[in-house]
Amino acid sequence: MALPTRTLGPLKVSAIGLGCMNLSQAYPPIPSDEDGGRLLNHALDAGVTFLDTAALYGDGHNERLLGSAVMHRRGEFTLASKCVLDVVDGKRTLDGRPERIKATCEAALTRLRTDVIDLYYMHRLDRNVPIEESMGAMADLVAEGKIRAIGLSEMSATTIERAHAVHTVSAVQSEYSLVVRNPEVAVLETCRRLGIGFVPFSPVARGLLSEGVTHDRYEQGDIRAAMPRFVGEKLAENLDRIAAFNRLAREADRTPAQLAIGWLLAQGDDIVPIPGTRSIAHLDEDIAATTIAFDSSVIAAAGALFPPNALTGARYAAPMQAQIDTELLAHEELA
């Protein structure tokens, strides 16, 4: 099955990718490797040609899973992974030093069972290392043939400009959805001016826009339990706001997840969302959004439901927010 395609710098990918983190961490229950491999291969069979992983996910487990499950189909997809955030000696680290970036890449290549990563992101900004130094290491990896293109994740317009001056940046990845509009402050405009593709993660807002969150009784280890907008009275207020969105989707004879992804796709041909899921049924639901022709009035109505800062509560708890370089919205709540 062939899906519509879009470009991220030199890379041609399906209009929707697959964020693979859910198969290794963050949203329990974590599937078995057999079930995770089945979902990955189903994604490829369904026409997804863009798989996104990271060294951090499951302390390397996610990269190992891709290495064992789909590398026999390496020519069928664009592979993205990430460095700077990593787990070293059992401890989560944020380290943008050139030597650490290169070491993380070497380990990733081994875990992934491949010779080259198509798109390699700096997962977060290490404020202790000038971005120019980190980008120098990334440029070296391109010159050595170990990566094909460079990406940045959750970085500001100013940082993107500085990085791009060292070496071409092909893609920027940040959280972006109907309810998280931070990239609209400055990042999207900067990416378009510089010819950089944009990859939204959490396009259905960690389940808020797919009817996947109805209460805050999460399983142990679920990252949403530590996110202010996903717990207590703040969550209750947010679910009340999202009820109107769910009604709008039903009136359009689509699922909320499809409308959320459709809205993102309608924001520009340079946008490639990467929803994540543990469910093949949900994966098929997400993929279908690439071929749905939404009426422009429905897309506009969805956007109007959620002006910037529509949700109550901070996006991240303070320690996680400290690692985010992307611009804040006016009057944005912080933990």
Side-chain angles (χ1 to χ4, degrees), residues 197-270:
F198 190 81
V199 179
F201 71 81
S202 297
V204 297
R206 307 182 191 277
L208 276 177
L209 298 175
S210 63
E211 297 181 299
V213 177
T214 58
H215 55 75
D216 62 1
R217 297 184 299 277
Y218 303 110
E219 292 196 35
Q220 185 173 359
D222 194 306
I223 61 172
R224 291 169 293 194
M227 294 177 171
R229 62 182 48 173
F230 282 91
V231 294
E233 294 181 1
K234 289 179 169 50
L235 175 63
E237 292 179 26
N238 292 330
L239 289 175
D240 284 344
R241 293 186 177 95
I242 285 165
F245 171 75
N246 294 338
R247 289 193 296 272
L248 178 64
R250 285 192 289 272
E251 289 166 2
D253 198 26
R254 303 300 178 193
T255 69
Q258 288 170 343
L259 180 53
I261 293 169
W263 180 86
L264 275 171
L265 292 170
Q267 301 313 299
D269 291 339
D270 52 351

Side-chain angles (χ1 to χ4, degrees), residues 6 157 160-161 164 169-170 172 176 183-184 186-200 263-272:
R6 296 186 170 191
I160 293 166
E161 294 257 19
H164 194 73
V169 175
S170 294
V172 168
Y176 185 38
E184 294 176 359
V187 166
L188 280 173
E189 185 279 328
T190 297
C191 287
R192 284 166 177 160
R193 176 165 45 80
L194 298 175
I196 301 170
F198 190 81
V199 179
W263 180 86
L264 275 171
L265 292 170
Q267 301 313 299
D269 291 339
D270 52 351
I271 290 178
V272 181

Side-chain angles (χ1 to χ4, degrees), residues 104-151:
T104 300
C105 182
E106 292 292 347
L109 291 169
T110 299
R111 288 190 292 260
L112 288 163
R113 304 184 189 181
T114 189
D115 295 327
V116 61
I117 297 168
D118 300 308
L119 177 60
Y120 204 44
Y121 293 93
M122 280 189 269
H123 208 155
R124 293 292 187 271
L125 176 66
D126 182 352
R127 301 179 195 277
N128 296 315
V129 180
I131 189 65
E132 290 81 1
E133 291 184 18
S134 299
M135 277 298 289
M138 300 288 277
D140 287 346
L141 291 172
V142 173
E144 294 164 9
K146 294 176 180 177
I147 68 175
R148 291 196 171 100
I150 296 173

